[in-house]
Short mmCIF file of all heavy atoms in Angstrom, two decimals:
data_model
loop_
_atom_site.label_atom_id
_atom_site.label_comp_id
_atom_site.label_asym_id
_atom_site.label_seq_id
_atom_site.Cartn_x
_atom_site.Cartn_y
_atom_site.Cartn_z
N ILE A 249 73.08 48.08 130.08
CA ILE A 249 74.49 48.46 130.28
C ILE A 249 74.73 48.83 131.73
O ILE A 249 75.70 48.36 132.35
CB ILE A 249 74.89 49.59 129.32
CG1 ILE A 249 74.92 49.05 127.88
CG2 ILE A 249 76.23 50.20 129.71
CD1 ILE A 249 75.07 50.11 126.80
N TRP A 275 84.01 45.16 126.28
CA TRP A 275 84.07 46.43 127.02
C TRP A 275 84.08 47.62 126.06
O TRP A 275 83.48 48.66 126.35
CB TRP A 275 85.27 46.47 127.95
CG TRP A 275 85.13 45.55 129.12
CD1 TRP A 275 85.94 44.51 129.45
CD2 TRP A 275 84.10 45.58 130.12
NE1 TRP A 275 85.48 43.89 130.59
CE2 TRP A 275 84.36 44.53 131.03
CE3 TRP A 275 82.99 46.38 130.35
CZ2 TRP A 275 83.55 44.27 132.13
CZ3 TRP A 275 82.18 46.13 131.44
CH2 TRP A 275 82.46 45.08 132.32
N HIS A 276 84.73 47.47 124.93
CA HIS A 276 84.74 48.55 123.94
C HIS A 276 83.31 48.83 123.47
O HIS A 276 82.88 49.99 123.42
CB HIS A 276 85.63 48.15 122.75
CG HIS A 276 85.60 49.13 121.63
ND1 HIS A 276 86.30 50.32 121.65
CD2 HIS A 276 84.93 49.11 120.44
CE1 HIS A 276 86.08 50.98 120.52
NE2 HIS A 276 85.25 50.27 119.78
N LEU A 277 82.59 47.79 123.11
CA LEU A 277 81.22 47.95 122.62
C LEU A 277 80.31 48.53 123.71
O LEU A 277 79.51 49.43 123.44
CB LEU A 277 80.68 46.62 122.11
CG LEU A 277 79.29 46.63 121.48
CD1 LEU A 277 79.19 47.63 120.34
CD2 LEU A 277 78.92 45.23 121.00
N MET A 278 80.46 48.05 124.92
CA MET A 278 79.67 48.60 126.03
C MET A 278 79.91 50.11 126.16
O MET A 278 78.96 50.89 126.30
CB MET A 278 80.05 47.91 127.35
CG MET A 278 79.61 46.48 127.46
SD MET A 278 77.93 46.29 128.07
CE MET A 278 78.15 46.78 129.78
N HIS A 279 81.17 50.51 126.12
CA HIS A 279 81.50 51.93 126.26
C HIS A 279 80.92 52.75 125.10
O HIS A 279 80.32 53.81 125.32
CB HIS A 279 83.02 52.11 126.31
CG HIS A 279 83.43 53.55 126.29
ND1 HIS A 279 83.34 54.36 127.39
CD2 HIS A 279 83.91 54.32 125.29
CE1 HIS A 279 83.75 55.58 127.08
NE2 HIS A 279 84.10 55.57 125.80
N GLN A 280 81.09 52.25 123.88
CA GLN A 280 80.61 52.99 122.71
C GLN A 280 79.09 53.16 122.74
O GLN A 280 78.58 54.23 122.43
CB GLN A 280 81.04 52.28 121.42
CG GLN A 280 82.54 52.27 121.19
CD GLN A 280 83.08 53.68 121.02
OE1 GLN A 280 82.67 54.42 120.13
NE2 GLN A 280 84.00 54.06 121.88
N LEU A 281 78.38 52.11 123.10
CA LEU A 281 76.92 52.18 123.14
C LEU A 281 76.43 53.14 124.22
O LEU A 281 75.35 53.73 124.07
CB LEU A 281 76.33 50.79 123.38
CG LEU A 281 76.48 49.82 122.20
CD1 LEU A 281 76.08 48.41 122.63
CD2 LEU A 281 75.68 50.28 120.99
N GLU A 282 77.19 53.30 125.26
CA GLU A 282 76.78 54.22 126.33
C GLU A 282 77.28 55.64 126.05
O GLU A 282 76.63 56.61 126.43
CB GLU A 282 77.31 53.72 127.68
CG GLU A 282 76.76 54.47 128.86
CD GLU A 282 75.24 54.46 128.98
OE1 GLU A 282 74.58 53.52 128.50
OE2 GLU A 282 74.70 55.42 129.56
N PHE A 283 78.42 55.76 125.39
CA PHE A 283 79.02 57.07 125.14
C PHE A 283 78.23 57.89 124.12
O PHE A 283 77.95 59.07 124.33
CB PHE A 283 80.47 56.89 124.66
CG PHE A 283 81.15 58.17 124.30
CD1 PHE A 283 81.67 58.99 125.29
CD2 PHE A 283 81.25 58.58 122.97
CE1 PHE A 283 82.30 60.19 124.96
CE2 PHE A 283 81.87 59.76 122.63
CZ PHE A 283 82.40 60.57 123.63
N TRP A 284 77.88 57.26 122.99
CA TRP A 284 77.25 58.00 121.91
C TRP A 284 75.75 58.18 122.17
O TRP A 284 75.08 57.27 122.64
CB TRP A 284 77.43 57.28 120.58
CG TRP A 284 78.87 57.22 120.17
CD1 TRP A 284 79.68 56.13 120.23
CD2 TRP A 284 79.67 58.29 119.68
NE1 TRP A 284 80.94 56.47 119.80
CE2 TRP A 284 80.96 57.79 119.46
CE3 TRP A 284 79.40 59.64 119.40
CZ2 TRP A 284 81.98 58.59 118.97
CZ3 TRP A 284 80.44 60.42 118.91
CH2 TRP A 284 81.70 59.89 118.70
N PRO A 285 75.22 59.36 121.85
CA PRO A 285 73.77 59.58 122.04
C PRO A 285 72.96 58.74 121.05
O PRO A 285 73.46 58.34 119.99
CB PRO A 285 73.60 61.08 121.77
CG PRO A 285 74.82 61.51 121.03
CD PRO A 285 75.91 60.54 121.36
N LEU A 289 73.88 56.98 117.32
CA LEU A 289 73.91 55.52 117.13
C LEU A 289 73.00 55.10 115.98
O LEU A 289 73.29 54.15 115.27
CB LEU A 289 73.49 54.81 118.42
CG LEU A 289 74.46 54.86 119.59
CD1 LEU A 289 73.79 54.34 120.86
CD2 LEU A 289 75.73 54.08 119.28
N LEU A 295 79.83 54.90 112.37
CA LEU A 295 79.76 54.40 113.74
C LEU A 295 79.01 53.07 113.78
O LEU A 295 79.48 52.10 114.40
CB LEU A 295 79.08 55.43 114.65
CG LEU A 295 78.85 55.03 116.10
CD1 LEU A 295 80.18 54.75 116.81
CD2 LEU A 295 78.07 56.12 116.83
N LEU A 299 80.41 49.42 115.06
CA LEU A 299 79.78 48.70 116.17
C LEU A 299 79.23 47.34 115.70
O LEU A 299 79.31 46.36 116.45
CB LEU A 299 78.68 49.55 116.80
CG LEU A 299 79.16 50.87 117.41
CD1 LEU A 299 78.01 51.64 118.02
CD2 LEU A 299 80.27 50.65 118.41
N CYS A 302 81.98 44.94 115.71
CA CYS A 302 82.21 44.43 117.07
C CYS A 302 81.25 43.29 117.37
O CYS A 302 81.65 42.25 117.92
CB CYS A 302 82.04 45.54 118.10
SG CYS A 302 83.31 46.80 118.09
N ASP A 315 90.95 49.75 115.79
CA ASP A 315 90.78 50.81 116.79
C ASP A 315 89.85 50.40 117.94
O ASP A 315 89.10 51.22 118.46
CB ASP A 315 90.25 52.09 116.13
CG ASP A 315 91.20 52.63 115.09
OD1 ASP A 315 92.42 52.49 115.27
OD2 ASP A 315 90.72 53.17 114.08
N VAL A 317 89.60 49.65 121.52
CA VAL A 317 90.33 49.80 122.77
C VAL A 317 89.35 49.59 123.90
O VAL A 317 88.64 50.50 124.30
CB VAL A 317 90.97 51.21 122.88
CG1 VAL A 317 91.76 51.33 124.17
CG2 VAL A 317 91.84 51.49 121.68
#
Side-chain angles (χ1 to χ4, degrees):
I249 291 170
W275 289 120
H276 175 78
L277 184 55
M278 290 274 289
H279 173 77
Q280 294 297 301
L281 290 170
E282 189 58 27
F283 177 80
W284 295 105
L289 290 170
L295 177 61
L299 299 181
C302 290
D315 299 325
V317 181

